[in-house]
Amino acid sequence: QDQLQQKIICPGPVTCLTASPNGLYILAGVAESIYLWEVSNGNLLAILNRHYQDLTCLCFTDDSSHFLSGAKDCLALVWNLYSVLQAEPSQIPDPRHVWSRHSLPITDLCCGFGGPLARAATASLDQTAKLWEISSGELLLSVLFDVGIMAVTLDLSEYHMFCGGMDGSIFQVDLCAWPVQRDRTFQTERENGKVFKGHRNQVTCLSVSTDGSLLLSGSHDETVRLWDIQSKQCLKTMNHKGPVTNAFIVLAPANMFNPDGKPSVPLPKFSKHLHGTESNDEQGSEGVTLRLGLHQQESGESYLEKAEKMYSQMYSTREKNLVGDQEHLTIQVSELEEEVSTLRKINKNLFDFS
């Protein structure tokens, strides 16, 4: 039985690929560009060109609000997804942070839990792994190793950072070590019991189980190994017929063991051109584009600006009510009632359209 659900041709060789945790968006690295697609209709929403060399890794925050990109140009960029989606097609949105503290290509990215307040780890060929704070963009920790780092991941509680080296070693870095040092050197001979040894070639991917007891690693030595983190013992080795480039632990989907299980939503073909630049015939055949509040944009004041203005008026009304300005309060209340009726009208139109 053929398991291929859909074959999607991309604009070039894809060097990295990730999906948002909420399942709405797909990111792909093609050369030095980041392509953002909407999964439900296949629209290409944005092409981001802020890297100077080929992309190597992409990852989302757990709440899908931000994503990170790393490339061979030694830069790691933090992007706000909603800023990217709201940008005009003619504008190139700016990343929220540009991390330029690595001196050689970025090889891997990992994002912890907490949405925009999460911490992120970056790995590089410059023999360092760095821990960053997404909200402020600050560098929290830099660990220097004696080999280039190809893979990095955090456990669920973020007590430890695991780094895979080019020589096949996997290093366990304690993030709660005392005293706290921003720059640290990992000396293998001193860090006894914190190195996983078994791979004979570079480690390309790492993943920790949700209970924090198991570590999965893939390598160019054509094996995937499952480790017990506490004892550093290899529990299982799975052999492959070529270098392993990606492996991760995932919770089993509900219909995984159902022989008749199929994807609930068929995947459309991803567009090669930015949404809105296709010909009218193609766009008309794809579906309807719905924009709310368009009738209010003609006045030059956007709907968000008007809502913010009303919000500030609500607070000023509350203050003036305290000093007894009843006449002004009546005017403000009538304006707010008019705004509520407008919102109800928009809501009814949306309901009828749906």
Side-chain angles (χ1 to χ4, degrees):
Q1 183 179 349
D2 189 9
Q3 293 294 316
L4 185 65
Q5 299 290 340
Q6 179 71 271
K7 183 178 180 180
I8 297 168
I9 306 297
C10 290
V14 176
T15 55
C16 47
L17 183 73
T18 189
S20 61
N22 59 18
L24 299 180
Y25 303 100
I26 289 284
L27 281 175
V30 179
E32 67 272 8
S33 302
I34 303 171
Y35 285 73
L36 173 65
W37 281 283
E38 191 172 5
V39 174
S40 60
N41 51 27
N43 287 335
L44 178 58
L45 302 179
I47 302 175
L48 306 174
N49 297 298
R50 287 300 298 265
H51 283 284
Y52 305 103
Q53 294 186 37
D54 290 358
L55 270 290
T56 55
C57 43
L58 290 163
C59 73
F60 272 95
T61 55
D62 60 326
D63 66 342
S64 305
S65 67
H66 290 73
F67 62 89
L68 287 74
S69 61
K72 292 180 179 179
D73 58 7
C74 315
L75 296 178
L77 306 182
V78 180
W79 302 84
N80 184 321
L81 177 63
Y82 307 119
S83 297
V84 171
L85 294 175
Q86 290 172 2
E88 293 295 327
S90 58
Q91 294 179 340
I92 301 176
D94 292 323
R96 181 172 176 182
H97 300 300
V98 178
W99 293 334
S100 56
R101 301 286 289 272
H102 285 289
S103 56
L104 284 174
I106 307 271
T107 53
D108 198 15
L109 288 167
C110 172
C111 194
F113 283 85
L117 302 177
R119 299 185 295 178
T122 57
S124 171
L125 292 177
D126 64 6
Q127 302 187 356
T128 66
K130 299 182 189 294
L131 192 68
W132 311 79
E133 189 175 54
I134 291 179
S135 57
S136 65
E138 286 188 15
L139 175 63
L140 303 176
L141 174 68
S142 179
V143 185
L144 177 64
F145 300 87
D146 51 9
V147 294
I149 303 300
M150 301 299 298
V152 65
T153 192
L154 300 165
D155 65 351
L156 205 61
S157 58
E158 297 182 28
Y159 278 1
H160 303 289
M161 180 168 65
F162 299 92
C163 306
M166 293 194 71
D167 63 349
S169 300
I170 303 170
F171 310 100
Q172 178 181 318
V173 179
D174 188 0
L175 299 180
C176 301
W178 189 263
V180 177
Q181 297 173 303
R182 182 162 289 192
D183 293 290
R184 205 188 299 178
T185 302
F186 191 96
Q187 296 175 329
T188 308
E189 62 276 4
R190 288 188 187 176
E191 303 283 354
N192 190 23
K194 293 187 178 178
V195 181
F196 300 78
K197 293 184 177 179
H199 285 297
R200 300 182 303 279
N201 205 333
Q202 67 184 45
V203 177
T204 55
C205 47
L206 294 168
S207 180
V208 181
S209 63
T210 50
D211 63 357
S213 64
L214 300 174
L215 174 69
L216 186 75
S217 63
S219 169
H220 276 191
D221 65 5
E222 304 184 0
T223 66
V224 170
R225 289 176 179 262
L226 192 65
W227 308 83
D228 178 67
I229 292 177
Q230 191 69 31
S231 65
K232 308 292 183 293
Q233 297 296 312
C234 180
L235 304 177
K236 190 173 184 181
T237 302
M238 291 152 274
N239 295 303
H240 291 263
K241 295 180 180 179
V244 178
T245 57
N246 212 340
F248 54 92
I249 297 172
V250 64
L251 295 174
N255 64 344
M256 181 176 177
F257 303 105
N258 179 9
D260 300 324
K262 291 182 179 179
S264 56
V265 180
L267 202 62
K269 287 199 172 183
F270 287 177
S271 174
K272 292 184 180 180
H273 304 284
L274 276 173
H275 181 54
T277 59
E278 301 96 334
S279 65
N280 292 331
D281 296 338
E282 292 178 2
Q283 196 169 350
S285 62
E286 284 181 3
V288 178
T289 302
L290 175 67
R291 294 184 65 186
L292 294 179
L294 193 62
H295 61 286
Q296 296 184 0
Q297 293 181 3
E298 296 170 1
S299 63
E301 187 178 32
S302 71
Y303 184 79
L304 287 175
E305 287 171 350
K306 189 168 182 182
E308 190 175 349
K309 185 178 173 184
M310 286 293 175
Y311 188 71
S312 63
Q313 285 178 349
M314 283 173 62
Y315 271 92
S316 64
T317 301
R318 186 178 298 174
E319 291 172 6
K320 289 177 180 176
N321 188 27
L322 293 175
V323 297
D325 193 351
Q326 293 298 329
E327 183 180 352
H328 192 73
L329 175 62
T330 308
I331 296 172
Q332 299 296 336
V333 167
S334 63
E335 287 185 4
L336 289 170
E337 286 175 348
E338 183 184 343
E339 179 66 18
V340 168
S341 65
T342 307
L343 286 169
R344 282 180 174 156
K345 184 180 178 184
I346 292 174
N347 192 35
K348 183 178 182 300
N349 290 342
L350 178 61
F351 182 78
D352 294 341
F353 176 82
S354 302

